[in-house]
């Protein structure tokens, strides 16, 4: 009986190995059938992000000798979930999206963006110049435009600033609107659809071509504390060697004329700098001191 049981076990093992060998193998990552995917958050004009992203994908593919494509996410949360589900291996994430992706899925930052020779930026609250709104206290009872619940400068930091000035961002507005992008917030305030809006400094420039008087009609009411810049992140299960190659390739691309044009097109990026997760430690401490928890920040505005 023991001999029979042993033979049965061996037979089962052999059958399992045979079936495994016959199972279709997934094409290697970076092949035409299984490309390396970069996901971008929708913080600017989608057509510009797509155009710049496609240029970056082509340049990175040439450097790595791999097929690289892009995924323009419909929302900040969608970008995070794409990385968590293995639908994207590289993410161009804003600060809050990265913090959530890191905590939820172990996503790792490899590069921070550089603008104006800085790896940080600030948010702003904007209003129409003729609105009569002169202080944050005047925002009570008004219509407020946010970018997205996962936008650091277009939601999180302005909320902290507003609350610190005695206005409850959950209760004191007549209505709140999630506009989906920074340019959309600027346009909403310009057109009078919202009394005030939150964006990065200075998102008004993104619509200046179409609205040349935007900086006259839309003015800055207040600015936030410093925010670490957006970044390039990778999923945790990507081979360590490939992570290093991606980082080095993007740093080289950022030094080339063609790469600089693509970075400028996608997110007005002037350069890239190698960083690790500790880059965000000070910001995490600031959030903690403000009494906020990450899971509380990602729920939609009322």
């Amino acid at each position: 009986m023991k001999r029979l049981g042993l033979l049965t076990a061996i037979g089962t093992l052999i059958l399992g190995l045979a079936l495994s060998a016959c199972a279709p193998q997934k094409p290697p990552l970076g092949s035409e059938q299984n490309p390396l995917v970069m996901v971008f958050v929708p913080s600017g004009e989608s057509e510009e992000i797509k155009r710049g992203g496609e240029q970056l994908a082509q340049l990175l593919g040439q450097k790595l000798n791999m097929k690289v494509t892009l995924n323009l996410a419909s929302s900040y949360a969608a970008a995070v979930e794409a990385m968590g589900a293995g639908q994207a291996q590289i993410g161009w994430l804003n600060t809050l999206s990265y913090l959530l992706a890191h905590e939820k899925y172990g996503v790792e930052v490899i590069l921070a963006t550089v603008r104006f020779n800085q790896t940080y930026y600030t948010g702003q609250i904007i209003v129409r110049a003729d609105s009569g709104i002169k202080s944050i206290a005047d925002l009570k009872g008004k219509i407020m435009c946010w970018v997205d619940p996962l936008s650091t400068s277009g939601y999180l930091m302005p909320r902290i600033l507003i609350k610190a000035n005695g206005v409850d961002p959950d209760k004191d507005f007549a209505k709140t609107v999630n506009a989906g992008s920074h340019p959309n917030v600027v346009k909403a305030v310009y057109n009078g659809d919202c009394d005030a809006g939150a964006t990065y400094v200075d998102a008004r420039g993104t619509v200046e071509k179409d609205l040349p008087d935007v900086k006259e009609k839309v003015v800055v009411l207040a600015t936030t504390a410093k925010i670490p810049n957006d970044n390039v992140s990778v999923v945790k299960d990507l081979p360590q060697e490939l992570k290093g190659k991606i980082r080095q390739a993007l740093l080289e691309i950022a030094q080339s004329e063609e790469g600089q044009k693509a970075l400028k097109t996608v997110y007005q990026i002037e350069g890239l700098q190698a960083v690790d997760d500790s880059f965000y430690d000070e910001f995490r401490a600031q959030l903690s001191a403000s009494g906020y928890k990450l899971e509380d920040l990602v729920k939609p505005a009322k």
Side-chain angles (χ1 to χ4, degrees):
M1 291 297 289
K2 288 183 179 179
R3 180 182 176 87
L4 181 61
L6 179 61
L7 289 173
T8 302
I10 292 172
T12 301
L13 177 61
I14 292 172
L15 178 61
L17 291 172
L19 290 173
S20 177
C22 293
Q25 298 296 309
K26 189 174 184 179
L29 184 63
S31 63
E32 287 286 341
Q33 298 78 18
N34 185 24
L36 196 65
V37 179
M38 296 195 297
V39 65
F40 293 82
V41 294
S43 62
E45 295 288 355
S46 59
E47 286 304 315
E48 292 292 286
I49 296 173
K50 182 181 178 182
R51 184 160 62 89
E54 287 174 344
Q55 292 170 344
L56 287 171
Q58 182 180 9
L59 292 170
L60 182 59
Q62 291 170 354
K63 287 277 186 183
L64 299 176
N65 194 28
M66 300 173 79
K67 178 66 175 179
V68 183
T69 61
L70 82 152
N71 170 5
L72 180 54
S74 59
S75 68
Y76 289 68
V80 173
E81 293 307 316
M83 297 188 78
Q87 296 168 355
Q89 293 75 40
I90 305 170
W92 294 72
L93 304 178
N94 72 319
T95 306
L96 192 54
S97 295
Y98 166 72
L99 294 179
L100 180 62
H102 177 75
E103 181 173 295
K104 196 172 181 182
Y105 299 117
V107 167
E108 302 170 15
V109 61
I110 57 172
L111 297 164
T113 63
V114 177
R115 298 181 186 84
F116 309 109
N117 296 316
Q118 302 287 350
T119 54
Y120 65 85
Y121 68 113
T122 53
Q124 64 185 12
I125 298 171
I126 55 175
V127 297
R128 276 188 61 96
D130 60 3
S131 66
I133 299 171
K134 302 299 181 185
S135 69
I136 291 177
D138 294 335
L139 294 177
K140 286 186 177 182
K142 301 296 193 294
I143 299 175
M144 182 70 190
C145 241
W146 306 116
V147 172
D148 181 287
L150 281 182
S151 173
T152 318
S153 60
Y155 185 78
L156 169 59
M157 295 304 286
R159 281 174 62 89
I160 291 174
L161 177 62
I162 288 168
K163 196 167 185 177
N165 281 268
V167 177
D168 188 330
D170 290 319
K171 298 177 181 178
D172 289 341
F173 294 126
K175 180 182 178 184
T176 59
V177 177
N178 287 333
S181 73
H182 294 268
N184 285 351
V185 170
V186 178
K187 290 176 184 176
V189 175
Y190 180 93
N191 293 327
D193 298 326
C194 290
D195 298 305
T199 70
Y200 65 79
V201 177
D202 188 349
R204 293 177 298 172
T206 63
V207 301
E208 204 165 10
K209 183 178 178 181
D210 297 325
L211 305 171
D213 60 347
V214 65
K215 289 183 179 177
E216 298 169 19
K217 290 193 173 181
V218 177
V219 296
V220 178
L221 179 70
T223 55
T224 72
K226 292 179 182 178
I227 307 166
N229 274 3
D230 45 315
N231 68 43
V232 183
S233 299
V234 293
V235 293
K236 66 177 181 180
D237 57 357
L238 210 60
Q240 201 63 36
E241 183 182 1
L242 181 54
K243 292 176 186 177
K245 287 181 178 179
I246 292 170
R247 171 188 273 172
Q248 185 57 38
L250 287 172
L251 285 171
E252 292 174 6
I253 287 169
Q255 295 298 315
S256 70
E257 183 177 348
E258 195 174 5
Q260 288 171 3
K261 287 181 180 178
L263 288 168
K264 192 80 172 176
T265 299
V266 71
Y267 290 134
Q268 299 295 305
I269 298 167
E270 295 176 359
L272 296 171
Q273 179 176 306
V275 299
D276 59 27
D277 183 68
S278 63
F279 177 67
Y280 293 94
D281 284 350
E282 186 178 342
F283 184 73
R284 287 188 177 100
Q286 184 179 355
L287 283 188
S288 180
S290 300
Y292 281 90
K293 295 179 181 178
L294 188 58
E295 57 268 26
D296 295 334
L297 297 171
V298 298
K299 59 187 179 183
K302 295 177 181 179

